[in-house]
Each structure stands twice: as structure tokens, then as C-alpha cells.
Amino acid sequence: MSIPQQGGGAPIERISQLVEYIASGEKPRADWRIGTEHEKFGFLTDSLLPLPYDGPRSVRAMLEGLEARFGWTPVREQGALIGLSRNGANVSLEPGGQLELSGAPLTDLHAIAAEFDAHLAECADVARDIGVAFAGLGTAPIWTHDQMPRMPKGRYRLMTDYMGKVGTHGTQMMYRTCTVQVNLDFGSEADMVQKLRVALALQPVATALFASSPFFEGKPNGHKSWRSRIWRDLDASRTGMLPFAFEPGMGYERYVDWVLDVPMYFVYRDGRYISALGQSFRDFMAGNLPALPGELPTLSDWADHMTTVFPEARVKKYLETRGADAGDRDHMLALPALWVGLLYDQSALDAAWDLVKGLSAETREGLRVAASVSALQGEAGGVKLQDLAREAVAIARAGLTSRAQALGGADEGLFLDVLEPDLATGEVQADRYLAKYHGEWGGDLSHIYAAATL
């Protein structure tokens, strides 16, 4: 979940300013960077329960320990410690206490791996002293909604109130899911459009490859990625595969039009979140927002509103890919490798577009559903996800080789190696967990915490 955005304080007077805001993110290729977001579930090692916010063994204790031992700067809301910052990176909290590293913008995947490994080592250093550990899974496998703690963040209180009114799975997403995302730059409007289309069309491949959430509330849930299933029935106005992105005329303005029509959550003023649930940003631009009568929005308000749309791939001043479950360390590094390989080399990007440009909107959505249910064993519209994934990973590997970002003689393609056995067998982490559950674990799902510890 995002922190309040810094988009500028001048009033918005015309829609073209919103378009210009996105376009201002354009960068020359030499300045393209990689940003990753890794979420994980903290749990008490004796009881296997989620971390409370407060107390000697808690989310707050983790944040305080990281601050004291490793030089992080605290981030507070209304006096409560809600995150940390250091050298362009942030540690933040999801609604149920999931701990997230939002990494600094870095040049290559070797640097991404070093940053993530350092973060895991710091977390382990603090966690072992207070009897805490962290698991990489797409959904909490056993915990119920009532067992989840609540973080002291105003944005989350507003969202919780709204989620039950617009879908059936919103609070599950907030409190009991974890993901890994990658944020990538674009060089022009045309480049953004091509990258967005490829990212959307291949999100089912990412969902399938990284599926790690076959359990929910203590039992198998019938899906390989329950996290992906949750997103399919959360809030149709702000989620999904964005069919309009594949239509002629797609560009910044078309994306802005869609975001403008998504109902608002809040306005952030003077350190407080003011409820604007269900209200219209278009009304806000006309000075008619019920939450703030007569007031016009600023670009910071627009930047905040853009963080409240949740499609499978999202545009801000950069592109976010959003379809993967959290997993073990190697899989969490393979996800950015997949997208960097596909999107940051022009030949690879062109090949990826050739791979998916013939898919209909119905097939893309069908693959999204199939990935959630069956991971690599799914298919839709005559397309098998295992075959599509093999081709996509091969293109990504070629793209990484072309980037020629080597460390000690090894190029970035090494981060894709963990996916090769899965591509060969069609079985992913969710399948392996299910096999253990029905086999050596004897139906005792408590074993998954040790198996998934980072």
C-alpha cells in the first residue's frame, strides 16, 4: 500500500495537467531503473499467530529494532510508527501487518538481489531476538480475518469500511495477502503503451509461475493462487485486465480518463485522511467534492488517487506489474528478472508483443482465471499457460542476456534459473505445498510456516 504522494501543490485546472503528470515520468533508456516491492507475513514462532502491532513481540518492535540497529529513519502517522526510510528505500506496513520492502530504484538485478538479501538479513537479526519469523506466501494459509491485527493507518481504516460495500473479497486482499511487484520506467507514450499491453497480457503467466497460495483458513481452497482469485472479486471499478488498453488510441489520456472514473477513497490533508469514499475526482476538479466543498485538488491529490486503482498492471510515473504471489527468496528475485527481461530490451519487448498481440480480451481474461485455479496447468482459448510461460521466459532470458549486466561473469539470466524446473514439469510452489499437505504433513498445515520461512 502506498504512502501519501508528492505530486505538487498547485491546483489542478485542466485534465491535460493529469496527462502531463504521467508523461513527466518519461526517461531516456540510460536512466531506466528497477524498483521492487516485497511483502511477507510475520508470525510468532511459538504460537504461529500473526504479529500484533504493539508489544514486545510485534510489528512495532520489528520496526524499532531495524531503526536502532541499521540506521533506518522512522516514519510516523499521528504519532504511531508506521514505517522506515533509508537511502531511497522504505519499509512499510500492509493493513494486516505484512512487512513490505519498497526498494530503491536500482540499475540491475544483481543490485536488487543484494538489497533484498540485506533486508532479509536485517529482519532476521531483529526477529530472532523476539521469537518472530517471516514467511513468503501469497495468502495467509490458516489465520482468519478476526485473528488479523489492524495497523494504525488512516488510509486502511477508510478502505476497510468501503471494501465490504463493493465486493466480497476486499478485506481478504488487505489483511491476508502478500505479493511481489516490480516497477519499471518508460521512455515515451508509445513505449508505455507497448509495455503496459505486454505486462497485462502476460500477467497470467506471472500469476501461474509464482502461485503459492493454495490454502486459506486452514484447508485447500481449490486454487493454486487464492490471492489472484481474491483480486477477481474485489472492486470491479478499479481492478482487472484493462481491455481498453488494447484498443486503438490508447495513451496517457485514455488511462487518465479511466482513473478519473474510479470512485475516490480519501483526500490527505495536514497528516489526516479525510473520507471521500465513493466520491468523484471529476467533481473534485469542479470544486464540488462533498468531502471538501469548494476546494480544488492538487497534483498530490491526483497522485494519491492513482494509488487507489489496482489493475493487474498499473501506470503512475512508471509501470507496476502486480500479478504475482510472494514466495521464497529465489522466486521473489525471479519476478523482477522476468519483467526486466521482457520489457527493458526492445527486441525482447517486440517479441513479447508478437507473442500476445493476437490474444482476444476473452482469452486474456480466461487465462487470468485459469492461472488462479490451475497455475501452469491452466489453459484458455486454446492457449496453454505452460507453453506460453516457456516462450515468455525464453524471451526474457534473451532480453537479460542482451542487457549484458554481468556480475562475476554471470548475467542477470541466472535469476530465472529457479523457474526452469517448473516450466519443465508444469508444477509450481503451490503444487509442491499441496503434495506435502496430502503427503508428509498428513493434513497438518502448521508445517507450512517452517517451509515458507524466508
Side-chain angles (χ1 to χ4, degrees):
M1 294 289 177
S2 298
I3 60 175
Q5 301 297 293
Q6 301 298 318
I12 297 170
E13 298 174 343
R14 60 190 188 280
I15 289 178
S16 62
Q17 290 174 266
L18 311 182
V19 174
E20 291 161 4
Y21 175 79
I22 299 176
S24 70
E26 293 176 1
K27 295 179 181 177
R29 182 180 293 270
D31 293 340
W32 289 358
R33 295 294 182 264
I34 307 162
T36 52
E37 300 178 32
H38 308 90
E39 299 171 3
K40 51 202 169 295
F41 292 108
F43 63 94
L44 303 171
T45 53
D46 49 5
S47 66
L48 305 182
L49 290 173
L51 300 188
Y53 172 74
D54 224 341
R57 304 169 67 201
S58 66
V59 169
R60 185 173 59 80
M62 281 297 308
L63 294 177
E64 290 175 343
L66 291 170
E67 176 192 351
R69 299 185 192 187
F70 301 107
W72 290 86
T73 299
V75 177
R76 301 183 186 277
E77 180 181 313
Q78 300 293 304
L81 181 60
I82 60 165
L84 305 165
S85 64
R86 186 184 68 190
N87 299 331
N90 295 280
V91 175
S92 59
L93 304 178
E94 295 296 292
Q98 306 96 309
L99 201 69
E100 176 181 350
L101 172 67
S102 295
L106 300 172
T107 58
D108 61 75
L109 294 166
H110 304 293
I112 294 291
E115 176 190 56
F116 187 46
D117 287 342
H119 171 69
L120 292 179
E122 290 180 3
C123 287
D125 187 81
V126 176
R128 73 171 61 95
D129 288 347
I130 59 174
V132 166
F134 289 90
L137 294 164
T139 59
I142 298 176
W143 305 328
T144 66
H145 180 73
D146 290 341
Q147 288 177 303
M148 300 309 298
R150 302 291 188 269
M151 298 301 102
K153 298 180 72 171
R155 173 186 175 116
Y156 297 161
R157 286 191 290 271
L158 292 175
M159 289 177 63
T160 299
D161 291 342
Y162 190 64
M163 285 295 185
K165 302 174 182 178
V166 293
T168 60
H169 289 68
T171 56
Q172 291 183 23
M173 178 277 291
M174 292 177 63
Y175 292 94
R176 291 186 283 171
T177 67
C178 282
T179 186
V180 54
Q181 299 176 190
V182 62
N183 305 325
L184 299 172
D185 291 312
F186 46 81
S188 66
E189 185 172 32
D191 185 44
M192 181 281 288
V193 171
Q194 188 179 23
K195 285 174 175 171
L196 177 63
R197 287 171 171 171
V198 168
L200 286 166
L202 288 177
Q203 253 355 270
V205 165
T207 297
L209 281 169
F210 299 95
S212 69
S213 50
F215 306 107
F216 199 64
E217 298 193 344
K219 60 184 182 296
N221 54 49
H223 291 67
K224 304 293 176 65
S225 175
W226 185 250
R227 176 189 167 277
S228 180
R229 171 64 187 91
I230 286 171
W231 278 105
R232 289 195 283 111
D233 196 6
L234 186 146
D235 181 349
S237 69
R238 69 186 75 238
T239 61
M241 295 285 280
L242 304 187
F244 70 83
F246 297 85
E247 297 172 357
M250 174 59 190
Y252 297 142
E253 186 169 0
R254 181 66 185 89
Y255 189 81
V256 164
D257 282 340
W258 176 69
V259 178
L260 281 171
D261 288 331
V262 174
M264 294 177 66
Y265 279 158
F266 60 82
V267 181
Y268 188 74
R269 288 289 185 276
D270 301 321
R272 295 186 307 112
Y273 287 92
I274 299 169
S275 175
L277 294 172
Q279 296 174 29
S280 165
F281 204 92
R282 293 186 190 275
D283 288 344
F284 199 2
M285 292 181 64
N288 296 323
L289 190 72
L292 291 173
E295 188 167 333
L296 295 176
T298 68
L299 284 176
S300 290
D301 295 321
W302 172 243
D304 277 336
H305 184 54
M306 291 183 76
T307 70
T308 70
V309 302
F310 309 117
E312 294 292 284
R314 178 166 71 178
V315 178
K316 294 196 279 193
K317 288 186 178 181
Y318 47 85
L319 177 70
E320 295 182 358
T321 66
R322 303 172 50 82
D325 288 0
D328 60 33
R329 179 261 185 194
D330 289 349
H331 281 85
M332 293 245 252
L333 293 174
L335 187 279
L338 174 68
W339 292 116
V340 169
L342 288 169
L343 303 183
Y344 266 16
D345 175 76
Q346 189 60 51
S347 294
L349 180 58
D350 291 340
W353 176 235
D354 285 341
L355 181 64
V356 299
K357 66 184 180 182
L359 300 179
S360 67
E362 292 75 19
T363 296
R364 292 192 298 269
E365 182 62 27
L367 290 171
R368 181 190 183 203
V369 174
S372 167
V373 176
S374 304
L376 287 179
Q377 296 159 32
E379 62 179 286
V383 178
K384 295 182 177 180
L385 275 163
Q386 187 175 357
D387 294 340
L388 187 62
R390 282 197 192 105
E391 293 184 77
V393 171
I395 292 169
R397 190 178 289 277
L400 294 176
T401 298
S402 179
R403 273 169 51 83
Q405 296 288 331
L407 180 67
D411 77 24
E412 295 170 309
L414 69 91
F415 295 106
L416 294 174
D417 290 351
V418 69
L419 302 179
E420 294 299 338
D422 300 354
L423 292 168
T425 64
E427 295 184 350
V428 298
Q429 188 62 69
D431 297 293
R432 292 186 283 274
Y433 284 143
L434 285 165
K436 288 179 180 293
Y437 174 80
H438 292 295
E440 63 188 85
W441 294 350
D444 182 358
L445 194 50
S446 66
H447 292 287
I448 199 170
Y449 292 97
T453 293
L454 291 164

